[in-house]
Coordinates of all heavy atoms in Angstrom, one line a residue:
D328 N 11.8 12.1 43.6 CA 10.8 11.5 44.4 C 11.3 11.2 45.9 O 10.7 11.5 46.8 CB 10.5 10.1 43.8 CG 9.8 10.3 42.4 OD1 9.0 11.2 42.3 OD2 10.1 9.5 41.5
L369 N 19.4 16.8 54.7 CA 18.0 17.2 54.6 C 17.9 18.5 53.9 O 17.0 18.8 53.2 CB 17.4 17.3 56.0 CG 17.0 16.0 56.6 CD1 16.6 16.0 58.0 CD2 15.8 15.4 55.7
D373 N 15.8 19.2 50.5 CA 14.9 20.2 50.4 C 15.1 21.1 49.1 O 14.2 21.4 48.4 CB 15.0 21.1 51.6 CG 13.7 21.7 52.1 OD1 12.7 20.9 52.0 OD2 13.7 22.8 52.6
A377 N 12.8 17.2 47.0 CA 12.4 15.8 47.2 C 11.1 15.7 47.8 O 10.7 16.5 48.7 CB 13.4 15.1 48.1
R378 N 10.2 14.8 47.3 CA 8.9 14.6 47.9 C 9.0 13.8 49.2 O 8.2 14.0 50.1 CB 8.0 13.9 46.9 CG 7.7 14.8 45.7 CD 6.9 14.1 44.7 NE 5.5 13.8 45.3 CZ 4.6 13.0 44.7 NH1 5.0 12.4 43.6 NH2 3.5 12.8 45.3
F379 N 9.9 12.8 49.3 CA 10.1 12.0 50.5 C 11.5 12.0 50.8 O 12.4 12.0 50.0 CB 9.6 10.6 50.2 CG 8.1 10.5 50.1 CD1 7.5 10.6 48.8 CD2 7.3 10.3 51.2 CE1 6.1 10.5 48.7 CE2 5.9 10.2 51.0 CZ 5.3 10.3 49.8
A380 N 11.8 11.8 52.2 CA 13.1 11.4 52.6 C 13.0 10.0 53.2 O 12.0 9.7 53.9 CB 13.6 12.4 53.6
A381 N 14.0 9.2 52.9 CA 14.0 7.8 53.5 C 15.2 7.7 54.4 O 16.4 7.9 53.9 CB 14.0 6.8 52.4
F382 N 15.0 7.6 55.7 CA 16.2 7.6 56.6 C 16.7 6.1 56.8 O 15.9 5.2 57.1 CB 15.8 8.1 58.0 CG 15.5 9.6 57.9 CD1 14.2 10.0 57.5 CD2 16.4 10.5 58.3 CE1 13.9 11.4 57.5 CE2 16.1 11.9 58.2 CZ 14.9 12.3 57.8
R394 N 12.7 4.7 58.0 CA 11.7 5.8 58.4 C 11.5 6.7 57.1 O 12.5 7.1 56.5 CB 12.3 6.6 59.5 CG 11.5 7.9 59.8 CD 11.7 8.4 61.2 NE 11.3 7.4 62.2 CZ 11.5 7.5 63.5 NH1 12.1 8.5 64.0 NH2 11.2 6.5 64.3
L395 N 10.3 6.9 56.8 CA 9.9 7.7 55.7 C 9.4 9.1 56.2 O 8.6 9.1 57.1 CB 8.9 7.1 54.8 CG 9.2 5.7 54.2 CD1 8.1 5.2 53.3 CD2 10.5 5.8 53.4
K396 N 9.8 10.1 55.5 CA 9.2 11.4 55.9 C 8.7 12.1 54.6 O 9.4 12.2 53.6 CB 10.3 12.3 56.5 CG 9.9 13.7 56.8 CD 10.9 14.6 57.4 CE 10.4 16.0 57.7 NZ 11.4 16.9 58.1
N397 N 7.4 12.5 54.7 CA 6.8 13.2 53.6 C 7.3 14.7 53.7 O 7.0 15.3 54.7 CB 5.3 13.1 53.7 CG 4.6 13.9 52.6 OD1 5.0 14.9 52.2 ND2 3.5 13.3 52.1
M398 N 8.1 15.1 52.8 CA 8.7 16.4 52.9 C 7.7 17.6 52.7 O 8.1 18.7 53.0 CB 9.8 16.5 51.8 CG 10.9 15.5 52.0 SD 12.0 15.8 53.4 CE 13.0 17.1 52.8
V399 N 6.5 17.3 52.2 CA 5.5 18.3 52.0 C 4.8 18.5 53.3 O 4.6 19.6 53.9 CB 4.6 18.0 50.9 CG1 3.6 19.2 50.6 CG2 5.4 17.8 49.6
T400 N 4.3 17.4 53.9 CA 3.4 17.5 55.1 C 4.2 17.4 56.4 O 3.7 17.7 57.5 CB 2.3 16.4 55.1 OG1 3.0 15.1 55.1 CG2 1.5 16.4 53.8
G401 N 5.4 16.8 56.3 CA 6.2 16.6 57.5 C 5.9 15.3 58.2 O 6.5 14.9 59.2
E402 N 4.8 14.6 57.8 CA 4.4 13.3 58.4 C 5.6 12.3 58.3 O 6.2 12.2 57.3 CB 3.3 12.7 57.6 CG 1.9 13.1 58.0 CD 0.9 12.6 57.0 OE1 0.5 11.5 57.1 OE2 0.5 13.4 56.1
Q403 N 5.7 11.4 59.4 CA 6.7 10.4 59.3 C 6.1 9.1 59.7 O 5.1 9.0 60.4 CB 7.8 10.7 60.4 CG 8.5 12.0 60.2 CD 9.8 12.1 60.9 OE1 10.4 11.1 61.2 NE2 10.3 13.3 61.1
E404 N 6.7 8.0 59.1 CA 6.2 6.7 59.5 C 7.4 5.7 59.3 O 8.2 5.9 58.4 CB 5.0 6.2 58.6 CG 5.2 6.3 57.1 CD 4.0 5.9 56.3 OE1 3.2 5.1 56.8 OE2 3.8 6.5 55.2
L415 N 6.7 3.1 48.6 CA 6.9 4.5 48.2 C 6.4 4.7 46.7 O 5.8 5.7 46.3 CB 8.3 4.9 48.3 CG 8.8 5.6 49.6 CD1 10.3 5.9 49.6 CD2 8.0 6.9 49.8
K418 N 2.8 5.2 46.6 CA 2.5 6.6 47.0 C 2.7 7.6 45.9 O 1.9 8.4 45.6 CB 3.3 7.0 48.3 CG 2.7 6.5 49.6 CD 3.4 7.1 50.7 CE 2.8 6.9 52.1 NZ 1.5 7.4 52.3
V419 N 4.0 7.5 45.4 CA 4.4 8.5 44.4 C 3.6 8.4 43.1 O 3.1 9.4 42.6 CB 5.9 8.3 44.1 CG1 6.3 9.1 42.9 CG2 6.7 8.7 45.3
E422 N -0.4 9.3 44.0 CA -0.8 10.7 44.4 C -0.1 11.7 43.5 O 1.1 11.8 43.4 CB -0.3 10.9 45.8 CG -0.9 10.1 46.9 CD -0.2 10.3 48.2 OE1 0.5 11.3 48.4 OE2 -0.3 9.4 49.0
K425 N 1.2 18.0 44.1 CA 0.3 19.1 44.3 C 0.9 20.3 43.6 O 2.1 20.4 43.5 CB 0.0 19.4 45.8 CG -1.0 18.4 46.3 CD -1.1 18.5 47.8 CE -1.5 17.1 48.4 NZ -0.5 16.2 48.6

Side-chain angles (χ1 to χ4, degrees):
D328 297 320
L369 279 171
D373 218 34
R378 295 178 63 192
F379 290 91
F382 292 84
R394 173 158 300 172
L395 300 181
K396 180 179 177 189
N397 182 320
M398 298 289 280
V399 183
T400 62
E402 273 171 83
Q403 300 202 20
E404 57 181 327
L415 267 178
K418 278 190 169 294
V419 167
E422 290 171 25
K425 283 169 205 89

